Amino acid sequence: MNIEEIRKDFPILKRKINGKQLIYFDNSATTQKPVQVINAIKNFYETYNANIHRGIHTLSQEASEMYEDAHKKVADFIGANDMQEIIFVRNTTEAINLVMYSYAMENLEKGDEILTTIMEHHSNLVPWQYVEQKKGIKLKIADIKDDGTLDLDQFKQMINEKTKIIAITHISNVLGTINDIKKIRKMKKDAILLVDGAQSVPHMLVNVKKMNCDFLIFSAHKMLGPTGIGVLYGKKELLEKMKPFLYGGDMISKVEQHKSTFAILPWKFEAGTSNIVGGIGLATAIDYLNKIGMQNVRDHEKELVKYFLEKLEDRNTIIYGPKDPEIKGGCISFNIKGFNYHDIASLLDKSGIAIRSGHHCAQPLLKRLGTTGTCRASFYIYNTKEEIDKFFDILNKIRG
Amino acid sequence: MFWKRKKKKEEDSLTLSEKAIISLLQSSKKPLSTEFICKKVDKLNLGCVDEPSHFLHRLEKKGIIKKEFSKKEKIILWSLSEKYDRLLR
Ligand SMILES: Cc1ncc(COP(=O)(O)O)c(C=O)c1O
């Protein structure tokens, strides 16, 4: 993996912020885009732009094929059977809402249970709260241990015959904890297993068959792709049984005055004109990641995490989540005693360093950790140890 | 940027959170910390708890407020800039 060559593909990394070279450590929020993705978007609008499906003319044929190929590329990337299992949505949040409306609201009954964890992003918590309020189901929330890993013993005890959905993040966007999905699947084989892959799919090899999950969900913008496009993977037999999420054009087979039949998968769940160029941008991002190799991506981040943690540790610094890079993704949350987390982010920004501060859309977790916010540094393929050195030059001056 | 709309007055384009921050600083005799401002503005329930800090920095970029880091107290202190009044007009 040649980081110097990779960095050349990211025009934004040349930017100066407050007169200093940008150091972008906010990759859990969104990643930067390589020229390959930017050009694919530009090229589509300049050369292929047309609405997809049903068009006879050449442009429409070409655009339709490109959009379908994007589904196929995603299917291969996560080890799905075929493109019928890949639904393009706006983002992770929308995909979870799709499952919530089209599966949970339709199939769960009073007394049923949904099991989730305290380390979820709001996107994988608030939709289930809605089901709890509307359907009278019970939402159970499993705790973490003090080291920031999931309390698997408690998790197991919380499972019973009423557990109908297990909704869990693969990697916590605050703690970096990597959850053992295969182990969780073994604990309960007959519940719907929804995996929030927003922080895992961009950073490691993820295979839906190996995890045996029913749904896997992620956003393109966190993996070099554009905003406004995300993915819902679902097992075909499940998706086929589910009702559509949005109704209207593009998702139908036949329409009469008072009834309609719906299109085959995945189009049944893609109503209206799609984010065509978004799909093509995502496919290009996947090509880019495949060329690097997802194992290389993961190894690079593990090295950065190890290096960063060694430098971060200090008696005035609180580090949240596991410290072993083997069970941690590429994000590190911390607080410096006596400092406000937003102030740290603000002082770092003065030196061109972008980190995130605050609750990271995980307020219940932050409360569990005994704080209202943290600083979070998160890495990707273009980050280097030299950037980490520069980061600590500044941070050490701040923390004194 | 070509699509940026023309504003009538800077004050008209301020968000409710930005207005709340300015009014807090106007009524205070001394500079205020990030934490203090964020807690106060959060109580108004205008949005998510992290938003006030975002707006503090937006106001700073517009030159309406300024910050100073107090090394002794380990906090950033915010106050109105000398030209804020003129900028809002
Ligand atoms: C673990 C996790 N889940 C869900 C989301 C929501 O993603 P999006 O805003 O793209 O819907 C995020 C975003 O940070 C995340 O980190």
Side-chain angles (χ1 to χ4, degrees):
Chain A
M1 196 168 161
N2 186 338
I3 311 294
E4 277 321 303
E5 283 304 309
I6 287 173
R7 286 181 69 83
K8 285 184 195 155
D9 289 334
F10 291 81
I12 207 167
L13 298 179
K14 294 193 190 84
R15 217 192 128 169
K16 293 228 155 76
I17 303 282
N18 297 321
K20 304 277 165 43
Q21 195 63 51
L22 166 67
I23 294 178
Y24 187 76
F25 284 173
D26 193 17
N27 293 288
S28 291
T30 201
T31 59
Q32 299 303 345
K33 320 301 170 200
V35 278
Q36 288 82 347
V37 169
I38 298 166
N39 288 342
I41 292 168
K42 188 167 169 273
N43 188 35
F44 178 79
Y45 280 132
E46 284 178 352
T47 316
Y48 298 98
N49 183 49
N51 210 334
I52 50 168
H53 303 321
R54 299 178 312 278
I56 302 299
H57 61 80
T58 302
L59 287 183
S60 177
Q61 295 284 335
E62 287 172 351
S64 302
E65 217 166 292
M66 287 167 93
Y67 188 65
E68 283 158 30
D69 282 350
H71 285 71
K72 288 179 196 153
K73 196 149 277 170
V74 172
D76 287 345
F77 190 61
I78 58 168
N81 284 320
D82 58 55
M83 66 172 272
Q84 290 201 297
E85 297 186 319
I86 304 299
I87 291 148
F88 282 176
V89 290
R90 279 192 306 148
N91 48 37
T92 299
T93 307
E94 184 170 290
I96 296 173
N97 274 272
L98 192 160
V99 177
M100 184 272 279
Y101 278 113
S102 295
Y103 184 85
M105 291 297 280
E106 294 291 335
N107 293 293
L108 267 54
E109 280 160 18
K110 197 171 173 12
D112 285 343
E113 293 180 2
I114 296 177
L115 176 57
T116 188
T117 80
I118 191 73
M119 66 170 90
E120 301 308 314
H121 188 281
H122 296 162
S123 289
N124 200 23
L125 175 65
V126 181
W128 309 124
Q129 292 174 346
Y130 181 73
V131 187
E132 182 175 45
Q133 284 150 21
K134 281 279 176 192
K135 303 280 291 188
I137 61 110
K138 191 168 180 184
L139 177 61
K140 284 179 160 176
I141 301 173
D143 200 6
I144 49 171
K145 293 191 284 191
D146 288 342
D147 64 359
T149 59
L150 188 63
D151 186 341
L152 281 170
D153 293 333
Q154 188 210 38
F155 194 87
K156 196 170 182 181
Q157 278 167 18
M158 289 172 106
I159 293 174
N160 59 42
E161 71 287 352
K162 290 187 222 146
T163 312
K164 293 288 151 49
I165 296 178
I166 295 174
I168 183 166
T169 192
H170 198 176
I171 297 186
S172 158
N173 66 317
V174 177
L175 305 165
T177 312
I178 303 178
N179 286 316
D180 189 341
I181 303 295
K182 279 192 224 160
K183 211 175 215 173
I184 284 163
R185 172 43 101 197
K186 280 191 193 129
M187 289 179 189
K188 177 83 175 165
K189 298 214 171 71
D190 60 350
I192 294 295
L193 177 59
L194 176 145
V195 178
D196 174 351
Q199 297 295 344
S200 64
V201 175
H203 300 278
M204 61 196 270
L205 273 168
V206 175
N207 184 296
V208 290
K209 289 215 191 80
K210 285 194 181 140
M211 291 195 298
N212 193 13
C213 60
D214 296 289
F215 297 109
L216 173 74
I217 284 159
F218 52 100
S219 296
H221 69 94
K222 293 184 195 285
M223 50 188 290
L224 310 178
T227 50
I229 185 102
V231 175
L232 166 67
Y233 154 83
K235 279 187 180 157
K236 193 170 162 187
E237 59 271 25
L238 255 173
L239 292 173
E240 264 167 354
K241 279 191 214 135
M242 281 160 58
K243 286 192 178 160
F245 173 48
L246 298 169
Y247 293 82
D250 281 307
M251 50 76 70
I252 50 84
S253 163
K254 280 193 183 58
V255 178
E256 295 171 47
Q257 283 201 16
H258 292 282
K259 64 176 197 293
S260 303
T261 52
F262 306 121
I264 56 162
L265 291 170
W267 318 124
K268 177 175 122 181
F269 289 104
E270 292 193 21
T273 299
S274 301
N275 182 355
I276 306 163
V277 76
I280 288 152
L282 168 59
T284 313
I286 289 177
D287 281 341
Y288 193 93
L289 288 169
N290 275 336
K291 213 167 137 202
I292 295 173
M294 290 311 290
Q295 192 53 50
N296 291 332
V297 173
R298 171 81 184 118
D299 290 344
H300 175 64
E301 286 179 25
K302 262 200 281 190
E303 221 174 292
L304 293 181
V305 164
K306 185 167 174 276
Y307 191 67
F308 190 94
L309 281 173
E310 277 164 14
K311 289 183 165 254
L312 184 63
E313 240 159 331
D314 155 291
R315 69 193 155 81
N316 285 324
T317 305
I318 307 160
I319 301 169
Y320 302 94
K323 294 188 187 126
D324 176 1
E326 291 300 323
I327 53 161
K328 194 177 181 80
C331 87
I332 297 162
S333 280
F334 62 94
N335 268 320
I336 313 287
K337 285 181 193 159
F339 285 87
N340 177 271
Y341 37 86
H342 290 313
D343 284 354
I344 298 279
S346 179
L347 294 167
L348 288 167
D349 178 62
K350 258 176 105 176
S351 299
I353 300 167
I355 64 155
R356 193 147 286 253
S357 57
H359 60 60
H360 318 296
C361 292
Q363 288 181 16
L365 172 61
L366 276 275
K367 195 169 179 186
R368 165 68 177 82
L369 296 172
T371 179
T372 50
T374 71
C375 299
R376 182 185 72 188
S378 52
F379 312 120
Y380 212 25
I381 47 174
Y382 34 72
N383 292 126
T384 64
K385 285 186 179 167
E386 291 71 41
E387 287 183 314
I388 293 178
D389 289 341
K390 283 187 196 153
F391 173 95
F392 279 100
D393 284 347
I394 307 297
L395 188 75
N396 288 340
K397 275 187 201 138
I398 298 168
R399 65 181 172 181
Chain B
M1 270 166 244
F2 71 91
W3 46 264
K4 206 160 192 171
R5 82 193 139 88
K6 268 229 164 326
K7 292 169 197 160
K8 272 196 238 135
K9 258 198 313 175
E10 187 62 53
E11 197 174 359
D12 295 336
S13 70
L14 293 178
T15 63
L16 288 174
S17 295
E18 286 173 307
K19 285 180 182 162
I21 292 168
I22 292 171
S23 121
L24 259 177
L25 290 172
Q26 277 171 330
S27 58
S28 168
K29 293 210 167 52
K30 54 180 178 45
L32 301 173
S33 72
T34 309
E35 193 165 337
F36 180 86
I37 297 171
C38 289
K39 276 194 180 144
K40 282 278 180 197
V41 178
D42 184 46
K43 285 214 175 88
L44 303 174
N45 262 327
L46 299 172
C48 138
V49 61
D50 283 343
E51 264 175 31
S53 72
H54 171 79
F55 287 117
L56 272 171
H57 290 84
R58 196 189 281 188
L59 286 171
E60 187 198 15
K61 290 228 153 58
K62 290 178 185 170
I64 295 168
I65 65 172
K66 58 181 183 180
K67 68 170 184 257
E68 203 169 335
F69 177 55
S70 156
K71 256 200 137 107
K72 203 171 117 242
E73 292 178 87
K74 297 179 178 174
I75 51 174
I76 287 178
L77 289 166
W78 299 90
S79 54
L80 293 164
S81 76
E82 290 72 29
K83 53 184 183 187
Y84 96 91
D85 205 21
R86 187 160 40 82
L87 280 173
L88 289 183
R89 256 182 279 134

